[in-house]
């Protein structure tokens, strides 16, 4: 089995012609080599995955090839030195390069030093590099690459010829992915490659990594459905459908469809921002002169133009305003789902004929949808989520139901049908059948039967009161007990330690915890614990504080305090009882500055002494 090579390495450009989306830079470098106008210090800067290191390697090979001493049989790889500044950012590594620069190349005309992620160098390394970078030997060329030019000191920038690499456009990335698909024998839909290119956000290396991941998922057939499912992105068809529902003012169906989107695990803000972008694309698609601004395939452009004909500009302006406001308020909203649902209702009410239709916050009254129906889309993912939840609830309630039926059958006597044969057996019957049988017997013994029937009804009522929900903690414990009973096991409940302790031991543990809080910098909580000495009564610790705020602050942290005290005293019955008593004098934890101020108030000569001898307080 041959080792797999990722596409980012397999299809790394070998010549400047193969570099995608950086035509201006590659043409400049080629002309500089031909005309012998190449600077001795170059800085390649730009976002990740746009070809900085690749262009540096191509340039390093091409420099010696274009020189007059070029021999096709010679290998110039020994003249190229690469340094990763992220892991070699010290001054010693730079000094080592400075020492090597003095030695001329054994083969070819130039020695090329490529320093990647150069912004990671320390200030000392930058300073050690300055003189060599300003006046390098004639046979040395430095190529620096970075994603963060602003972190490089100005004295380095002034010594370099800077090339700014731009983000690769979605269309150029899509065409490059199409060529790779053909080489790999993969049938790929254009819209699927479009989604990958958009997801990469201008980085070609990211797009190739996403491409490999999706191909591993879908095989040789790369479809829009496979890409959206693997990348967990909302496809454009969803937004087209949502827009159609908005134009139809169909609020019930909108809410149902948004519930399906949430069930698939999509973020509400991602949905709202995507909807705003869709409205923008529709606005662009209304004019043939601006349709070229859409970075989509031809089929998708046709869909945008078709839907844009049915949407007027006032609707799009209001829709973009409402969607952008929802996107802005999403993070600060306490009920984010409600915010998105209100946004959808407001969007669906823009074209309504209500009295307040000019108000962007107007929502169509619910009375207009009394006879409306909303169909639930039968998507595989949504049904899977619903079925899984239903099975989980059913499995949890099954044991509880069986327990109730067992208890019920124990209280109801077996019914033996009249005129049964010898092979007949007693079978438990339902409450309804038993009641009917009792009614048949009331003719012979009315008083006795009515009394027994009333007693059984009371017994059943008491049983029903003892039933608990299968989803509660008591229900889970009952389920475990029933299973253990059926299997003949005995459940042993853990018994926590309850060692006795004295007031002195409690005071010691209390003081240790206060010191622990002070060491961790929690001075406020430490001062609250110092405000009163704990008083022990049995296993209850009584505390009194002068105000309610101190009590509330302690109650917020009493969990961690109790855990510490219970563990140290080995007694898990300990509890707090906190009261507010205004007669209690509050204790303060004084800092060194406070202590010094108190001394100066009592004796001003202390401050004179400090200033005379320039002492610290």
């Amino acid at each position: 089995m041959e080792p797999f090579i990722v596409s980012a390495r397999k299809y790394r450009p070998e010549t400047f012609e193969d570099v995608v989306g950086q035509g201006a830079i590659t043409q400049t470098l080629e002309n500089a080599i031909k005309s012998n106008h190449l600077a001795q210090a170059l800085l390649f800067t730009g976002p990740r995955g746009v070809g900085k290191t690749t262009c540096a390697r191509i340039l390093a090979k091409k420099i010696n090839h274009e020189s007059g001493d070029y021999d096709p049989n010679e290998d110039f790889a020994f003249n190229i030195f690469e340094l990763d500044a992220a892991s070699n950012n010290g001054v010693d590594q730079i000094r080592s390069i400075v020492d090597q620069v003095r030695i001329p190349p054994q083969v070819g005309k130039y020695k090329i030093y490529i320093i990647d992620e150069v912004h990671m160098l320390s200030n000392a390394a930058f300073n050690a590099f300055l003189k060599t970078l300003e006046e390098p030997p004639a046979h040395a060329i430095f190529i620096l690459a970075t994603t963060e030019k602003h972190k490089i000191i100005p004295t380095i920038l002034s010594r370099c010829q800077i090339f700014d690499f731009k983000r690769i456009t979605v269309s150029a990335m899509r065409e490059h992915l199409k060529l790779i698909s053909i080489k790999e024998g993969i049938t790929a839909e254009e819209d699927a490659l479009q989604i990958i290119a958009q997801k990469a956000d201008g980085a070609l290396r990211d797009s190739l990594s996403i491409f490999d991941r999706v191909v591993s998922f879908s095989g040789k057939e790369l479809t829009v459905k496979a890409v959206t499912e693997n990348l967990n992105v909302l496809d454009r068809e969803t937004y087209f459908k949502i827009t159609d529902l908005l134009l139809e003012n169909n609020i019930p169906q909108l809410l149902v469809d948004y519930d399906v989107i949430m069930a698939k695990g999509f973020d509400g803000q991602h949905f709202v921002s995507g909807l705003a972008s869709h409205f923008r694309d529709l606005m662009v698609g209304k004019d043939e002169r601006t349709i070229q601004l859409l970075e989509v395939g031809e089929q998708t452009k046709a869909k945008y133009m078709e839907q844009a004909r049915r949407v007027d500009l006032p609707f799009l302006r209001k829709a973009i305003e409402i969607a952008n406001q929802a996107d802005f308020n999403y993070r600060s909203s306490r009920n984010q789902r409600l915010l998105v649902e209100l946004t959808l209702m407001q969007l669906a009410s823009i074209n309504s004929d209500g009295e307040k239709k000019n108000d962007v916050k107007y929502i169509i009254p619910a009375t207009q949808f009394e006879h409306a129906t909303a169909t639930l889309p039968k998507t595989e993912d949504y049904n899977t989520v619903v079925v899984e939840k239903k099975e989980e609830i059913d499995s949890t309630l099954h044991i509880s139901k069986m327990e109730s039926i067992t208890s019920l059958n124990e209280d109801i006597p077996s019914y033996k049908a009249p005129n049964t044969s010898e092979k007949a057996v007693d079978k438990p019957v339902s409450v309804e059948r038993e009641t009917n049988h009792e009614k048949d017997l009331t003719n012979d013994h009315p008083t006795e039967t009515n009394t027994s029937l009333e007693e059984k009804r009371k017994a059943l009522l008491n049983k029903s009161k003892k039933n608990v929900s299968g989803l509660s903690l008591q229900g889970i414990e009952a389920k475990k007990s029933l299973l253990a009973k059926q299997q003949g096991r005995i459940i042993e409940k853990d018994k926590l330690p309850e060692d006795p302790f004295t007031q002195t031991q409690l005071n010691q543990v209390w003081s240790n915890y206060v010191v622990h809080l002070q060491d961790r910098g929690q001075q406020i909580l430490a001062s609250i614990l110092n405000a009163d000495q704990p008083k022990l009564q049995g296993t209850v610790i009584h505390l009194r504080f002068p105000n309610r705020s101190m009590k509330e602050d302690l109650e917020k942290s009493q969990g961690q305090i109790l855990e510490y005290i219970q563990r140290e005293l080995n007694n898990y019955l300990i509890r707090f009882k906190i009261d507010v008593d205004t007669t209690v004098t509050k204790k303060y934890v004084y800092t060194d500055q406070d202590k010094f101020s108190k001394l100066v108030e009592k004796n001003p000569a202390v401050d004179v002494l400090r200033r005379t001898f320039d002492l610290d307080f």
Side-chain angles (χ1 to χ4, degrees):
M1 181 177 178
E2 296 183 1
F4 172 72
I5 302 177
V6 296
S7 299
R9 290 181 54 198
K10 186 176 181 180
Y11 295 100
R12 181 188 287 270
E14 296 293 336
T15 63
F16 282 131
E17 290 78 11
D18 299 334
V19 178
V20 179
Q22 308 294 345
I25 292 177
T26 55
Q27 186 64 38
T28 303
L29 293 174
E30 283 189 333
N31 293 340
I33 295 173
K34 291 178 182 179
S35 60
N36 197 22
H37 283 178
L38 190 67
Q40 289 188 308
L42 308 174
L43 175 63
F44 293 170
T45 178
R48 70 183 190 280
V50 294
K52 299 185 298 296
T53 307
T54 297
C55 286
R57 292 176 179 176
I58 296 173
L59 178 63
K61 294 178 182 178
K62 199 173 182 62
I63 289 174
N64 280 321
H65 286 180
E66 296 293 332
S67 64
D69 302 332
Y70 171 62
D71 184 354
N73 297 323
E74 291 179 346
D75 185 9
F76 298 105
F78 294 105
N79 291 358
I80 302 173
F81 303 90
E82 283 197 42
L83 178 70
D84 180 21
S87 54
N88 301 280
N89 56 3
V91 66
D92 294 335
Q93 286 82 8
I94 296 300
R95 286 174 179 169
S96 176
I97 291 178
V98 171
D99 293 338
Q100 296 176 16
V101 166
R102 302 171 185 170
I103 304 172
Q106 301 300 314
V107 179
K109 188 176 180 180
Y110 295 100
K111 292 175 70 174
I112 298 94
Y113 292 85
I114 301 174
I115 304 179
D116 205 1
E117 303 297 338
V118 70
H119 65 275
M120 300 291 287
L121 290 178
S122 62
N123 287 331
F126 273 130
N127 293 329
F129 197 33
L130 282 176
K131 190 64 177 175
T132 303
L133 199 63
E134 183 177 9
E135 298 178 358
H139 58 265
I141 294 179
F142 292 95
I143 305 176
L144 314 180
T146 179
T147 56
E148 302 182 44
K149 183 176 69 173
H150 60 278
K151 290 187 178 181
I152 301 176
I153 60 176
T155 49
I156 293 290
L157 295 176
S158 63
R159 288 166 169 77
C160 298
Q161 191 175 84
I162 302 175
F163 292 86
D164 287 305
F165 284 69
K166 63 182 180 180
R167 291 181 181 274
I168 302 174
T169 62
V170 175
S171 57
M173 205 178 301
R174 183 187 67 236
E175 295 301 321
H176 185 67
L177 292 175
K178 189 184 297 184
L179 293 176
I180 293 178
S181 301
I182 295 173
K183 292 180 181 179
E184 294 291 332
I186 297 172
T187 304
E189 295 181 4
E190 188 171 359
D191 288 341
L193 298 178
Q194 179 80 18
I195 295 173
I196 295 175
Q198 290 176 336
K199 187 74 173 177
D201 193 23
L204 186 62
R205 183 172 61 238
D206 291 358
S207 70
L208 293 173
S209 300
I210 297 172
F211 177 80
D212 288 340
R213 191 175 90 193
V214 176
V215 168
S216 300
F217 172 75
S218 62
K220 296 293 183 180
E221 296 288 337
L222 204 60
T223 61
V224 174
K225 181 180 178 181
V227 172
T228 54
E229 183 178 353
N230 187 263
L231 299 182
N232 196 31
V233 297
L234 281 170
D235 56 353
R236 296 184 184 275
E237 290 298 328
T238 301
Y239 293 116
F240 280 116
K241 182 180 178 182
I242 292 293
T243 305
D244 288 336
L245 294 175
L246 293 175
L247 297 175
E248 297 170 3
N249 311 120
N250 194 343
I251 291 180
Q253 189 63 48
L254 276 170
L255 299 181
V256 170
D257 285 0
Y258 179 64
D259 183 66
V260 174
I261 292 171
M262 294 290 290
K264 292 180 180 179
F266 292 105
D267 181 57
Q269 188 171 25
H270 174 71
F271 168 75
V272 171
S273 61
L275 191 60
S277 300
H278 182 75
F279 294 147
R280 175 262 178 193
D281 293 340
L282 286 176
M283 185 175 289
V284 170
K286 289 191 71 66
D287 194 333
E288 294 183 357
R289 294 171 296 179
T290 58
I291 192 67
Q292 302 302 325
L293 297 177
L294 294 178
E295 294 182 337
V296 295
E298 294 300 326
Q299 295 180 353
T300 309
K301 279 184 182 180
K303 291 182 180 179
Y304 272 109
M305 293 180 67
E306 189 275 329
Q307 191 173 67
R309 294 191 194 99
R310 298 185 283 111
V311 185
D312 55 2
L313 283 175
F315 171 85
L316 290 175
R317 285 197 295 267
K318 289 183 180 179
I320 291 175
E321 179 184 353
I322 294 173
N324 282 339
Q325 188 63 34
D327 189 15
F328 178 77
N329 295 333
Y330 188 86
R331 290 299 177 192
S332 59
S333 175
R334 291 182 178 272
N335 193 336
Q336 296 173 338
R337 174 165 184 162
L338 178 61
L339 174 66
V340 179
E341 290 175 340
L342 286 174
T343 301
L344 290 175
M345 289 188 280
Q346 292 171 5
L347 291 171
S349 304
I350 293 176
N351 286 340
S352 65
D353 295 328
E355 296 179 358
K356 301 179 180 179
K357 67 177 183 179
N358 293 326
D359 185 7
V360 294
K361 295 184 179 180
Y362 172 72
I363 296 177
I364 301 174
T367 54
Q368 296 188 20
F369 304 103
E370 290 181 355
H371 305 291
T373 59
T375 55
L376 184 66
K378 295 183 178 180
T379 57
E380 181 179 353
D381 294 337
Y382 185 77
N383 288 337
T384 302
V385 172
V386 173
V387 169
E388 287 179 353
K389 288 183 178 179
K390 183 177 182 303
E391 289 178 351
E392 179 182 354
I393 294 174
D394 289 346
S395 62
T396 309
L397 293 175
H398 177 69
I399 297 298
S400 181
K401 291 179 180 178
M402 291 301 296
E403 181 182 2
S404 300
I405 293 173
T406 304
S407 302
L408 187 64
N409 290 336
E410 289 177 356
D411 291 337
I412 300 176
S414 300
Y415 171 70
K416 190 170 184 179
N419 301 326
T420 54
S421 61
E422 295 178 356
K423 295 182 180 180
V425 295
D426 293 342
K427 297 181 180 179
V429 297
S430 64
V431 178
E432 182 180 0
R433 186 174 179 183
E434 178 68 21
T435 305
N436 293 335
H437 182 58
E438 293 284 354
K439 288 181 179 179
D440 294 338
L441 298 177
T442 55
N443 295 328
D444 298 334
H445 307 283
T447 305
E448 181 181 354
T449 304
N450 291 337
T451 304
S452 61
L453 183 59
E454 188 66 26
E455 292 176 355
K456 290 176 180 178
R457 284 177 178 171
K458 290 182 180 179
L460 288 176
L461 183 61
N462 293 332
K463 281 288 184 182
S464 62
K465 289 182 179 179
K466 295 179 181 179
N467 288 341
V468 294
S469 171
L471 298 177
S472 64
L473 293 176
Q474 294 179 349
I476 295 173
E477 291 294 331
K479 171 184 172 182
K480 292 181 179 179
S481 301
L482 179 62
L483 289 175
K485 183 178 179 181
Q486 292 174 349
Q487 298 174 4
R489 294 185 291 104
I490 299 177
I491 299 180
E492 296 182 359
K493 296 184 179 180
D494 296 334
K495 186 177 182 181
L496 298 176
E498 302 175 4
D499 293 354
F501 60 95
T502 62
Q503 179 71 47
T504 305
Q505 292 174 322
L506 174 61
N507 293 339
Q508 182 62 41
V509 172
W510 193 269
S511 301
N512 293 341
Y513 190 70
V514 171
V515 174
H516 171 70
L517 291 175
Q518 292 173 344
D519 293 339
R520 295 181 59 184
Q522 297 181 355
Q523 300 295 338
I524 296 178
L525 185 57
S527 64
I528 292 175
L529 295 182
N530 270 333
D532 186 32
Q533 193 69 20
K535 295 178 178 55
L536 181 64
Q537 291 184 4
T539 57
V540 179
I541 299 176
H542 291 264
L543 295 168
R544 294 182 304 157
F545 294 110
N547 54 62
R548 181 170 295 278
S549 62
M550 296 181 67
K551 175 185 176 182
E552 292 175 352
D553 289 341
L554 181 60
E555 287 175 343
K556 292 178 183 177
S557 305
Q558 70 174 347
Q560 65 183 39
I561 302 173
L562 269 178
E563 182 183 0
Y564 178 86
I565 296 175
Q566 290 172 347
R567 185 177 66 251
E568 293 297 319
L569 296 175
N570 204 28
N571 190 316
Y572 287 83
L573 295 179
I574 299 174
R575 294 293 180 268
F576 279 155
K577 189 176 187 307
I578 308 172
D579 299 317
V580 176
D581 188 353
T582 56
T583 61
V584 178
T585 304
K586 185 177 179 181
K587 298 180 182 179
Y588 294 92
V589 178
Y590 291 103
T591 62
D592 294 339
Q593 178 67 50
D594 296 334
K595 296 175 183 177
F596 178 75
S597 300
K598 290 289 184 182
L599 289 175
V600 172
E601 288 178 4
K602 294 182 179 179
N603 189 356
V606 175
D607 188 48
V608 177
L609 178 66
R610 182 190 67 81
R611 285 188 280 104
T612 303
F613 293 98
D614 194 18
L615 300 175
D616 295 333
F617 57 81

